Amino acid sequence: SALLAILVSVLWGGNVVSIRIGVDSVPPLWSAFWRMLVGVLFVSAWARIQGLPLWPEPKEWKPLFILGILFTIQIALLNSGAAYTSPGFAVVILNSYAVFANLTGHYFSSLEAPLTRTRMLGLALALAGVAVLAFGQKTSLLAPRPLLGNFL
């Protein structure tokens, strides 16, 4: 429903803001650790209530290990970058994944409709807006090293 979509958008948009508030008082990796620990506790409780197994099958260990490494790198870069840039700019840059998903999806026709001229123009404008935000930001109290934060 539309209300659920709005709720998810508000929560997702607040994610970077909460990370930024957290890294002001706790180092980025510790901030990530505590957020993930709380998440693990909630997901584990939900899995137990649903009667789902918590321990992976032997064949799942290698893919989960690789996924865990990639996820750790992604979260470490996100939290470290949030310490250097403003939350508003970080939200816009983080949510630019839709542009890249559209561009990638173009080459996988089973996943996404091919790009039309109108969509390409819209994606170019969106990417230009992200570039202006990422590279045109001045240093401020909320963004002590904006180019580094935006890059991470």
Side-chain angles (χ1 to χ4, degrees), residues 13-134:
N15 185 33
V16 177
V17 175
S18 66
I19 290 170
R20 177 66 168 118
I21 291 168
V23 298
D24 282 345
S25 56
V26 180
L29 294 180
W30 275 110
S31 174
F33 170 79
W34 291 111
R35 285 178 56 232
M36 294 303 125
L37 180 64
V38 169
V40 164
L41 294 175
F42 276 97
V43 169
S44 296
W46 176 83
R48 282 281 182 216
I49 290 167
Q50 298 295 318
L52 299 171
L54 293 176
W55 201 252
E57 297 291 325
K59 66 180 180 183
E60 296 172 329
W61 278 103
K62 184 178 178 184
L64 286 173
F65 178 77
I66 293 168
L67 185 61
I69 294 295
L70 293 173
F71 187 61
T72 300
I73 292 168
Q74 185 262 332
I75 292 297
L77 291 173
L78 172 64
N79 283 20
S80 298
Y84 296 117
T85 194
S86 73
F89 290 115
V91 167
V92 172
I93 292 168
L94 181 65
N95 288 298
S96 66
Y97 71 88
V99 173
F100 300 105
N102 269 274
L103 293 173
T104 304
H106 173 73
Y107 296 101
F108 299 94
S109 59
S110 63
L111 300 176
E112 184 70 43
L115 292 175
T116 63
R117 290 178 115 162
T118 305
R119 276 183 65 198
M120 286 192 301
L121 177 62
L123 291 172
L125 285 171
L127 198 54
V130 170
V132 166
L133 288 175

